Amino acid sequence: MTRILAIHPGTAYHCETLEAPRYARLFDALVRPEELGDIDLSRFDIVLAPCRTPASRLAPHRACLEAYLAAGGAVVAMGETDQHLWLPSIRFTSVPTNWWWWLEPGASLGLSIADPRHPLFARIGANDIAWHLHGVFAPPDGARSLIDDAEGRSVLYLDEVTTKGRMLVTSLDPFYHHGSHFMPAATRFLDGFLPWLKEEF
């Protein structure tokens, strides 16, 4: 089974998501961002950077993460981590966040499943991907967008082309919202997403 190393920045919402019983069994080890350089990353199939891990704590380890990708590893980079500062080939555009769109009758955030045949979407549905939006990506040629915004721009994509490894990159921030005990869709997202990472990615 896939071995996951989860980066643990140490805030309350990270503690709740990474350490509490709901998901803790899915992570094989936890590491502070500053300790990434001391870990043999080759022992793990996935290095997971949860939402709102400060890029300033990840950027010093860009070279070791790129070496890990070059050796065939997988990096999962969640939202609000400024991935372009510590991963290769990331093109990100911030967008205004409408925090209260769901209060408007008949409103829609506009997110959609771009690749319904992907195995992830046997575990989560369209109602599990929308709470709000912080930004969009222009994936590299050959990468596979899994979730798009209303204009067809990627919100979650899989890049298996720019390195010998894999990068799963998103602007969604479910760790933050689950760990902060609001936005039930974020919890439903993680209920499907994390077991999928562990069992199928």
Side-chain angles (χ1 to χ4, degrees):
M1 188 170 286
T2 302
R3 290 184 54 81
I4 300 176
L5 173 67
I7 297 169
H8 193 335
T11 66
Y13 51 82
H14 292 125
C15 291
E16 176 65 21
T17 309
L18 297 171
E19 297 179 28
R22 189 178 192 116
Y23 304 126
R25 71 191 185 283
L26 301 172
F27 309 115
D28 295 279
L30 304 176
V31 62
R32 297 291 189 200
E34 291 75 15
E35 298 169 349
L36 269 174
D38 301 325
I39 298 289
D40 178 5
L41 299 183
S42 68
R43 294 171 43 220
F44 301 95
D45 304 293
I46 296 172
V47 173
L48 169 64
C51 327
R52 305 194 185 204
T53 302
S56 61
R57 300 176 69 184
L58 294 169
H61 305 289
R62 178 169 183 152
C64 75
L65 290 169
E66 290 187 350
Y68 172 70
L69 288 164
V75 172
V76 176
M78 305 301 292
E80 296 286 86
T81 58
D82 289 319
Q83 295 100 330
H84 61 286
L85 297 177
W86 53 278
L87 286 176
S89 305
I90 305 290
R91 292 179 292 171
F92 175 75
T93 301
S94 180
V95 299
T97 300
N98 181 350
W99 304 97
W100 307 111
W101 62 272
W102 46 274
L103 294 177
E104 302 167 14
S108 170
L109 187 58
L111 297 187
S112 62
I113 294 171
D115 189 351
R117 294 175 296 176
H118 191 277
L120 173 60
F121 301 111
R123 297 177 184 252
I124 62 173
N127 290 332
D128 307 327
I129 64 173
W131 48 94
H132 56 241
L133 183 60
H134 292 285
V136 296
F137 298 92
D141 290 343
R144 184 179 184 184
S145 184
L146 304 183
I147 299 174
D148 287 348
D149 77 348
E151 298 178 30
R153 301 171 297 181
S154 186
V155 173
L156 188 155
Y157 71 91
L158 176 61
D159 179 356
E160 300 178 293
V161 295
T162 59
T163 73
K164 292 183 179 179
R166 296 179 292 167
M167 292 186 290
L168 189 68
V169 181
T170 185
S171 59
L172 299 177
D173 56 351
F175 285 74
Y176 169 76
H177 287 290
H178 168 77
S180 301
H181 302 287
F182 71 107
M183 299 291 185
T187 298
R188 297 195 306 268
F189 180 92
L190 289 179
D191 283 348
F193 180 76
L194 290 176
W196 170 73
L197 278 185
K198 185 70 175 176
E199 297 165 14
E200 297 189 63
F201 187 65

